[in-house]
Amino acid sequence: MKVISQIKLPVEKEMELFERKFLEAMSSKVALLNRITHYIVNRKGKQMRPMFVFLVAKMVSEGKVNERTYRGASVIELIHTATLVHDDVVDDSNRRRGFFSINALWKNKIAVLVGDYLLSKGLLLSIDNNDFDLLKIISVAVREMSEGELLQIEKARRLDITEDVYYDIIRQKTATLIAACCSLGAASVKPDSDAVEKMRKFGELIGMAFQIKDDLFDYGNEKIGKPTGIDIKEQKMTLPLIYALNNSNKKEKDWVINSVKNHNKDKKRVNEVIQFVKDKDGLEYAVKRMKEFQQEALVILEDYPASPYRESLELMVNYVIERKK
């Protein structure tokens, strides 16, 4: 059995019902919108975010979920989908998960409007049901994601990222959304309890480990075999590179920064930078930090009694750092 199916097992029924509710939450009187949202729903990914919501909710409340849990999962998926649609416009990307992106098929103007529509649908789903606590969790996540992206853009121009700034960027850009899923799950069944903050922290730690794993893929993995160097081409400063720079002399540092800034389209030079990072143990250091975040996340789960939901969340934490793509 594939790991994702195994993780999903204890919330399979909830996920099926969620898919129906999510489709309803997206519906509109405008035929074009329905056509586009239908296209989005049929090309969904692994649906990790709603899975987090349901697993956490069931773990903290001895296996119970309620309507608020379904709404929370729908809102997070609506807002996440909106950000993906907008991201594809910003990045001028023509593909998403192997399919054409919305902007590639329907042009930028429609893609931006669809993103806005999904965002407002998400907000209204919370407001109409007085889920103001859930709305706050989601709104904070959206604000932080935008700040994280802008901070990364600002730093990419100057290439002056310290390790602490890197953690700030990935905490906001990636970890904040997983943190929101987990705190939403807890808040939907146990509002105002300690579990809300505890699960937010749990999600944040997983998100940090997840992003470091993503950064490591740029240096090659068993499945792809060869490094991609995409982050270097896009002048993104990731943990392996930051560590290598921190452990270099001035001459090496100048060469790396010059390569990333001015020669990032030169394949040979990019490969030399990748080799330099490996020689400086940048990958080993990133793996070490990733595993520290993973272990911290697993410690939080120990506060809850053993259950199929806790087991699935443990599997999820391990899957995040062991995945091959």
Side-chain angles (χ1 to χ4, degrees):
M1 188 190 256
K2 285 179 87 173
V3 180
I4 294 294
S5 312
Q6 214 176 328
I7 293 168
K8 198 176 181 176
L9 215 53
V11 290
E12 214 159 23
K13 279 202 204 78
E14 285 82 3
M15 289 295 287
E16 277 172 26
L17 182 54
F18 158 74
E19 287 196 22
R20 291 205 293 277
K21 287 178 182 279
F22 181 57
L23 200 53
E24 276 168 35
M26 274 182 146
S27 68
S28 152
K29 292 188 176 74
V30 179
L32 174 63
L33 251 173
N34 282 336
R35 204 155 68 241
I36 295 171
T37 53
H38 198 75
Y39 179 80
I40 292 169
V41 170
N42 285 341
R43 279 149 196 80
K44 61 183 184 299
K46 297 186 188 83
Q47 292 193 300
M48 306 282 265
R49 277 151 288 272
M51 239 186 282
F52 270 122
V53 176
F54 289 116
L55 286 169
V56 167
K58 292 187 93 169
M59 181 182 74
V60 304
S61 69
E62 282 114 45
K64 295 181 198 70
V65 295
N66 55 29
E67 278 305 314
R68 265 165 60 87
T69 318
Y70 284 100
R71 286 198 296 271
S74 292
V75 170
I76 207 94
E77 201 65 350
L78 281 164
I79 303 241
H80 173 61
T81 308
T83 60
L84 293 184
V85 172
H86 281 165
D87 276 355
D88 288 340
V89 175
V90 171
D91 298 338
D92 205 11
S93 173
N94 288 325
R95 299 188 86 78
R96 164 74 59 184
R97 297 188 187 118
F99 296 98
F100 283 115
S101 58
I102 304 301
N103 48 307
L105 293 172
W106 285 281
K107 302 289 175 275
N108 281 354
K109 186 176 180 178
I110 288 177
V112 170
L113 293 170
V114 168
D116 291 347
Y117 170 77
L118 295 171
L119 196 62
S120 64
K121 270 292 213 188
L123 301 177
L124 283 167
L125 185 59
S126 294
I127 293 166
D128 291 345
N129 292 285
N130 293 330
D131 296 331
F132 296 112
D133 56 335
L134 306 186
L135 182 58
K136 186 172 182 187
I137 291 169
I138 288 150
S139 302
V140 167
V142 174
R143 181 196 72 203
E144 292 205 324
M145 283 157 69
S146 312
E147 284 178 351
E149 286 286 357
L150 288 163
L151 179 60
Q152 185 170 43
I153 291 167
E154 178 196 340
K155 293 295 178 184
R157 285 182 181 154
R158 294 208 302 270
L159 298 183
D160 61 347
I161 294 188
T162 61
E163 197 171 323
D164 284 344
V165 171
Y166 166 79
Y167 293 135
D168 279 345
I169 290 171
I170 68 169
R171 185 177 290 112
Q172 291 180 305
K173 221 184 78 158
T174 305
T176 194
L177 191 67
I178 300 175
C181 295
C182 296
S183 59
L184 261 182
S188 71
V189 287
K190 286 199 166 180
D192 306 318
S193 69
D194 294 348
V196 180
E197 173 53 25
K198 202 184 270 188
M199 286 296 105
R200 186 202 67 76
K201 185 68 191 162
F202 168 74
E204 187 180 273
L205 290 163
I206 295 180
M208 302 290 277
F210 181 91
Q211 187 56 54
I212 295 173
K213 178 70 174 179
D214 253 18
D215 293 346
L216 283 162
F217 284 143
D218 206 45
Y219 292 87
N221 70 352
E222 302 92 75
K223 200 146 200 171
I224 308 166
K226 58 180 190 293
T228 63
I230 289 165
D231 288 338
I232 295 167
K233 291 183 188 99
E234 292 178 358
Q235 298 189 22
K236 279 184 190 159
M237 298 286 278
T238 60
L239 190 55
L241 183 58
I242 293 164
Y243 179 81
L245 281 172
N246 287 343
N247 291 278
S248 308
N249 59 38
K250 187 174 183 315
K251 191 180 167 201
E252 290 171 328
K253 215 175 249 182
D254 290 346
W255 175 81
V256 171
I257 297 229
N258 180 30
S259 304
V260 175
K261 260 194 168 155
N262 305 314
H263 303 280
N264 54 41
K265 301 284 185 284
D266 176 343
K267 223 174 185 167
K268 184 171 171 287
R269 192 79 171 250
V270 168
N271 285 334
E272 283 169 4
V273 172
I274 287 172
Q275 195 52 52
F276 172 81
V277 170
K278 288 178 176 173
D279 293 344
K280 290 284 182 184
D281 296 333
L283 304 193
E284 282 88 339
Y285 180 76
V287 167
K288 180 172 146 266
R289 293 295 288 135
M290 174 180 76
K291 287 187 172 167
E292 282 167 13
F293 286 121
Q294 175 213 21
Q295 288 310 314
E296 274 184 71
L298 290 171
V299 166
I300 292 176
L301 290 180
E302 286 169 13
D303 289 351
Y304 294 91
S307 69
Y309 322 114
R310 190 183 110 174
E311 208 175 299
S312 274
L313 286 167
E314 285 166 355
L315 267 176
M316 184 88 95
V317 177
N318 295 326
Y319 166 75
V320 156
I321 73 160
E322 285 160 11
R323 65 203 164 96
K324 300 283 185 275
K325 60 177 180 179

